Amino acid sequence: GAGVSQSPSNKVTEKGKDVELRCDPISGHTALYWYRQSLGQGLEFLIYFQGNSAPDKSGLPSDRFSAERTGGSVSTLTIQRTQQEDSAVYLCASSTDRGGVGGVTEAFFGQGTRLTVV
Amino acid sequence: RKEVEQDPGPFNVPEGATVAFNCTYSNSASQSFFWYRQDCRKEPKLLMSVYSSGNEDGRFTAQLNRASQYISLLIRDSKLSDSATYLCVVALYCGATNKLIFGTGTLLAVQP
């Protein structure tokens, strides 16, 4: 498809279980972001991948959260031992970056994964 | 201090009103600026880029003040369909790459 694809669209899991969320960015986009959005709240930055550079993990809320991006394309966000406060919509975005000042134009978002921990 | 700050609102305005949102950013190395729109239960989408000289797109006008490190969005003749959350976005140029930083958004509710 032409856009950013995320799966699953909805996930209900039991507290304590591990979950994996997948993001398939737009082909050729070098930058990939994960955000979290709780009900009625703003976007919370989680992690940022840019090409072959080391990812910016500064937004990950705890060591239960990890993410990887294989081959510069698909990314997986893993949450271990899920807690109820992890319930949120997890959004992935990708963009091109031509490098240099002003090299980024627009980030495209997927429709998100709605995670519910019960 | 947050890198990008916005008044969360809500801004409740009648149809036809003019409404303005401001956003401040903390890092003077920020180089590109955008406004995104997010409808309820939808993903954010680009509304418009913000250029140094200011720019207009129909009823929407965006301005940048680098000296004071803020950007603004003005919506004229508000429509019911303008009701959404407006996100201020800054691209920080660092280490040869550009990182997008999102504000938490301002909620606009246009009333009939």
Side-chain angles (χ1 to χ4, degrees), chain A:
Chain A
V4 177
S5 177
Q6 290 188 246
S7 61
S9 54
N10 281 285
K11 175 73 176 179
V12 179
T13 190
E14 291 181 353
K15 178 181 172 181
K17 294 286 179 70
D18 297 351
V19 295
E20 282 191 356
L21 312 180
R22 177 187 168 105
C23 173
D24 207 334
I26 293 173
S27 178
H29 280 194
T30 56
L32 187 148
Y33 302 79
W34 281 99
Y35 288 87
R36 174 168 76 172
Q37 189 169 36
S38 302
L39 189 62
Q41 303 298 310
L43 290 173
E44 177 187 2
F45 167 74
L46 297 177
I47 188 168
Y48 161 62
F49 296 91
Q50 175 58 268
N52 296 320
S53 302
D56 177 353
K57 303 179 182 181
S58 60
L60 295 178
S62 78
D63 59 8
R64 297 186 295 105
F65 288 72
S66 63
E68 62 177 20
R69 189 179 183 191
T70 53
S73 179
V74 172
S75 176
T76 302
L77 177 69
T78 300
I79 309 173
Q80 296 178 309
R81 305 181 301 282
T82 51
Q83 303 294 314
Q84 288 185 327
E85 61 262 29
D86 299 336
S87 297
V89 175
Y90 288 81
L91 288 161
C92 173
S94 72
S95 71
T96 56
D97 187 347
R98 299 186 300 271
V101 174
V104 67
T105 52
E106 177 179 357
F108 294 84
F109 282 82
Q111 294 192 326
T113 294
R114 184 173 299 277
L115 175 67
T116 304
V117 182
V118 297

Side-chain angles (χ1 to χ4, degrees), chain A residues 33 35 37 42-43 45 48 50 56 58 91 97 99-107 109-111 114, chain B residues 31-32 34 36 38 41-46 49 87 91 93 96-105:
Chain A
Y33 302 79
Y35 288 87
Q37 189 169 36
L43 290 173
F45 167 74
Y48 161 62
Q50 175 58 268
D56 177 353
S58 60
L91 288 161
D97 187 347
V101 174
V104 67
T105 52
E106 177 179 357
F109 282 82
Q111 294 192 326
R114 184 173 299 277
Chain B
Q31 294 294 342
S32 302
F34 310 90
Y36 276 66
Q38 185 175 25
R41 293 182 171 265
K42 298 286 189 181
E43 73 275 20
K45 293 184 179 178
L46 179 68
S49 301
L87 301 162
Y93 181 65
T97 61
N98 293 274
K99 176 183 173 183
L100 293 173
I101 303 169
F102 284 75
T104 52

